[in-house]
Amino acid sequence: MSTLSLRIQLEGGRVTKTIQFQPNTTVFDACKVIRDKFAEAVQGQPSEYGLFISDEQNQQGVWLEPGRTLGYYILHNQDTLEYRRKTRTLRVRMLDGAVKTILVDDSQPVSQLMVVICTKIGITNHEEYGLVREDNEAQNENLPDNKFGTLTLKRKIMEKDRDAKMESLRKKLKTDDEMNWVDVSRTLREQGIDEAETVLLRRRFFFSDQNIDSRDPVQLNLLYVQARDAILDGTHPVTQDKACEFAGIQVHIQFGPHNEAKHKTGFLDLKDFLPQSYVRTKGIEKKIFSEHRKHVDLSEIDAKVLYTKTARELPTYGVTFFLVKEKMNGKNKLVPRLLGVTKDSVLRLDEHTKEILISWPLTTVRRWGASPNTFTLDFGDYANQYYSVQTTEAEQIVQLIAGYIDIILKKKQTKDHFGIEGDEGSTMVEESVAPSKATFLQHETNRMEQLNVESLAHPGIMRPYDGERSYMENEVQTVQYGAFVGQVNHAHQPPTPVVIQCFTKLRKFALVL
């Protein structure tokens, strides 16, 4: 086997040496050899360093996995690798404008970094949050002047994929197409996020937010700010009376209890408290102060609880919107439509009013198909035909649905499999699963020593790659449950159809609950 001659460079390029390796040498062993060669120049613990391949512009790159061999990466003689420190700083902006600098492991995928980031901030349910890349305009904002405004977020998509009408409608509706979410399956460096860039922390999944109250002030504040911004920018359409109700609570949060001598007409900058459509309404500031007077006895934190509780009552709360095109009935014409995803359903909404037209529970989804330009849902016995739309966001829709399924499985894995009335010595044996009829459940008592449950959502997440992409279709497979002494066994098929099997599990969750 011929040797591989590689140029090894210390971080910053201050020292470069050419070292020969066998192609079957693991990255871990290669790092040991490199460390011996650079003994005088390298500081710190071996675990803090790794091998990195950068692109020509040194903006993106890939960390080599310690367990892989050098031959796995198809390296050539005289290729350059960088032996660099894995730790780096990451600037994270909160929705209230605060910026935190956090030390993270640059070689880990973002999904692992979210645990560190959320722990540092004081958030326990890290799986419900994500990072958003802001455009240059938002990065350079003067934060004090925009403290209570909404952040402008823009997804970097080529203009040829969007027509002018759809682009205008998309900006008006504030859909999730505008969010440039950081891919949790890849590292920061692979996505070109360097230490100078600031990312925005934002709730992506609305699952356990119903439990957030005054006992969790960190998450309560983040939820309040996100709900407030969504109401102000029109993501959640509200009536004039409701807008004044929200504004009255917001005034109490920002300026304290009502003071007749201070809080008079002209005191408020209305664009920071009302949706744009109500700012010029005559006499509306008096209505806001009328609502403000109702909360004189509330503390700031209790006012935030009231604001978020009221926001949860909105029909659009917790919905992630995607602007799509669907075929008009009886005509060969595509028209705009809103597709929404929540923690328990897929919605078809009016593209102007955001009124819910049809709601399909996730438990009724039989299978889906996703391609670069289309997204299709099949509801099996629950509907007579497929629901298919044209969209360039099929991958993002799939990731969102799979993410909710993953959270549901993690949250309910213990409760749903401990048997009847919390009897931890029992399992549920399901003898019949059919959408059109009830399920017969048999209670059997067994001594259960260990419960083995694995996430089924992640393997099914669509990942972007270069080249031609074919249409992918997934179908629900039969999931077998059995009772075994000593353990509960979940049998499932290989990774390809795994995400769709989650829907069968969700049906079972609904029946057991």
Side-chain angles (χ1 to χ4, degrees):
M1 183 180 296
S2 59
T3 59
L4 189 61
S5 182
L6 300 174
R7 299 177 71 249
I8 307 300
Q9 190 176 85
L10 285 191
E11 189 171 5
R14 63 182 188 272
V15 181
T16 302
K17 289 185 179 181
T18 299
I19 304 177
Q20 292 186 339
F21 301 94
Q22 294 296 327
N24 61 355
T25 303
T26 65
V27 173
F28 178 81
D29 290 334
C31 286
K32 292 175 62 178
V33 173
I34 293 169
R35 193 169 180 85
D36 291 338
K37 297 288 186 180
F38 290 95
E40 297 180 358
V42 176
Q43 304 293 327
Q45 298 298 318
S47 58
E48 297 176 356
Y49 287 82
L51 284 176
F52 181 78
I53 306 176
S54 62
D55 62 0
E56 294 180 359
Q57 288 77 32
N58 200 30
Q59 295 179 343
Q60 297 181 338
V62 177
W63 285 95
L64 277 58
E65 299 178 28
R68 300 285 189 184
T69 64
L70 296 175
Y72 172 82
Y73 294 97
I74 317 178
L75 299 170
H76 301 90
N77 284 325
Q78 299 307 309
D79 278 353
T80 300
L81 299 181
E82 189 173 358
Y83 184 71
R84 64 187 302 171
R85 194 183 296 270
K86 296 178 183 179
T87 53
R88 57 162 285 182
T89 57
L90 176 66
R91 288 170 52 85
V92 180
R93 190 195 308 278
M94 318 296 285
L95 280 171
D96 60 3
V99 177
K100 297 183 181 296
T101 302
I102 300 172
L103 197 64
V104 297
D105 186 340
D106 194 45
S107 67
Q108 294 293 320
V110 174
S111 59
Q112 297 296 321
L113 300 187
M114 291 306 299
V115 181
V116 177
I117 294 169
C118 290
T119 300
K120 294 286 186 182
I121 295 172
I123 298 172
T124 55
N125 51 325
H126 61 86
E127 65 275 2
E128 297 184 41
Y129 287 83
L131 300 176
V132 178
R133 300 186 73 173
E134 303 176 78
D135 63 4
N136 292 331
E137 183 178 336
Q139 290 272 11
N140 297 325
E141 284 183 9
N142 188 348
L143 289 177
D145 294 339
N146 192 43
K147 186 175 182 181
F148 302 110
T150 57
L151 290 175
T152 301
L153 305 174
K154 184 177 180 182
R155 189 117 192 257
K156 298 173 183 177
I157 295 181
M158 296 181 66
E159 293 297 329
K160 67 178 182 179
D161 293 333
R162 297 177 173 180
D163 57 54
K165 181 180 178 181
M166 289 289 283
E167 182 66 17
S168 176
L169 189 57
R170 182 176 284 107
K171 290 180 179 179
K172 178 182 177 181
L173 294 171
K174 299 294 181 181
T175 64
D176 207 61
D177 309 48
E178 296 298 301
M179 298 291 179
N180 189 11
W181 291 100
V182 175
D183 188 346
V184 297
S185 65
R186 297 193 294 162
T187 66
L188 295 170
R189 193 67 61 180
E190 287 174 347
Q191 300 175 70
I193 302 175
D194 58 28
E195 297 187 30
E197 183 173 347
T198 302
V199 292
L200 179 71
L201 180 71
R202 187 179 180 90
R203 177 180 286 273
R204 190 176 190 184
F205 300 98
F206 291 83
F207 187 83
S208 64
D209 55 287
Q210 299 284 344
N211 303 321
I212 297 174
D213 54 24
S214 58
R215 295 169 295 181
D216 190 351
V218 174
Q219 285 206 76
L220 175 63
N221 183 61
L222 294 176
L223 188 63
Y224 156 70
V225 175
Q226 189 162 336
R228 180 201 68 194
D229 288 355
I231 290 169
L232 294 181
D233 68 18
T235 300
H236 299 319
V238 293
T239 63
Q240 184 181 122
D241 289 342
K242 206 68 177 177
C244 291
E245 181 181 346
F246 281 114
I249 304 173
Q250 184 183 339
V251 171
H252 183 86
I253 293 170
Q254 294 178 204
F255 300 113
H258 185 76
N259 185 333
E260 293 290 349
K262 179 180 179 182
H263 300 143
K264 299 179 180 179
T265 302
F267 176 79
L268 299 177
D269 186 351
L270 292 179
K271 72 177 185 298
D272 290 339
F273 296 87
L274 291 169
Q276 185 62 37
S277 57
Y278 300 132
V279 168
R280 298 186 181 277
T281 303
K282 185 177 180 180
I284 199 165
E285 190 170 1
K286 290 183 178 179
K287 294 182 180 179
I288 293 176
F289 285 131
S290 177
E291 292 290 336
H292 185 203
R293 292 186 187 95
K294 298 178 182 179
H295 312 300
V296 65
D297 295 328
L298 288 181
S299 65
E300 178 183 340
I301 195 165
D302 287 336
K304 289 180 179 179
V305 171
L306 177 61
Y307 193 102
T308 55
K309 180 182 177 181
T310 308
R312 291 189 190 104
E313 298 171 357
L314 298 174
T316 54
Y317 178 83
V319 181
T320 301
F321 300 99
F322 297 93
L323 185 61
V324 300
K325 286 185 176 182
E326 67 176 24
K327 186 178 179 182
M328 183 183 294
N329 288 334
K331 296 184 180 180
N332 189 22
K333 181 181 179 181
L334 294 175
V335 294
R337 187 66 70 194
L338 272 182
L339 179 70
V341 179
T342 71
K343 65 180 179 181
D344 53 20
S345 60
V346 178
L347 307 174
R348 179 174 174 265
L349 306 100
D350 184 272
E351 69 277 14
H352 298 294
T353 63
K354 291 188 176 179
E355 178 186 357
I356 298 175
L357 304 176
I358 302 177
S359 176
W360 297 289
L362 285 180
T363 53
T364 66
V365 176
R366 170 69 176 174
R367 58 182 177 175
W368 67 48
S371 77
N373 297 310
T374 61
F375 180 75
T376 303
L377 289 172
D378 175 15
F379 302 98
D381 296 339
Y382 296 94
N384 296 326
Q385 59 185 4
Y386 301 144
Y387 179 65
S388 185
V389 296
Q390 184 184 94
T391 177
T392 57
E393 303 299 325
E395 176 185 340
Q396 198 172 351
I397 296 171
V398 168
Q399 289 183 357
L400 193 67
I401 295 174
Y404 272 121
I405 294 170
D406 192 37
I407 293 172
I408 290 171
L409 290 174
K410 288 179 179 178
K411 299 290 185 182
K412 295 187 176 182
Q413 60 185 6
T414 303
K415 180 177 68 175
D416 285 350
H417 296 288
F418 270 175
I420 298 175
E421 296 180 353
D423 179 8
E424 299 185 9
S426 64
T427 61
M428 303 295 287
V429 179
E430 191 165 353
E431 294 191 350
S432 175
V433 179
S436 60
K437 61 182 180 180
T439 300
F440 173 75
L441 297 175
Q442 177 184 347
H443 179 224
E444 295 187 0
T445 300
N446 295 282
R447 185 173 62 87
M448 184 169 62
E449 296 177 349
Q450 184 178 1
L451 180 66
N452 297 320
V453 178
E454 296 182 358
S455 167
L456 300 181
H458 283 303
I461 292 179
M462 295 175 61
R463 309 191 193 285
Y465 62 94
D466 295 329
E468 184 179 352
R469 295 188 288 183
S470 59
Y471 187 86
M472 298 195 317
E473 181 176 305
N474 290 290
E475 184 173 355
V476 176
Q477 304 293 329
T478 302
V479 182
Q480 299 177 352
Y481 279 72
F484 296 88
V485 176
Q487 63 178 358
V488 175
N489 180 53
H490 294 184
H492 59 272
Q493 302 296 323
T496 301
V498 147
V499 170
I500 308 305
Q501 293 176 13
C502 294
F503 291 114
T504 300
K505 287 203 168 188
L506 293 179
R507 272 196 283 271
K508 296 177 181 180
F509 288 151
L511 290 168
V512 173
L513 289 175

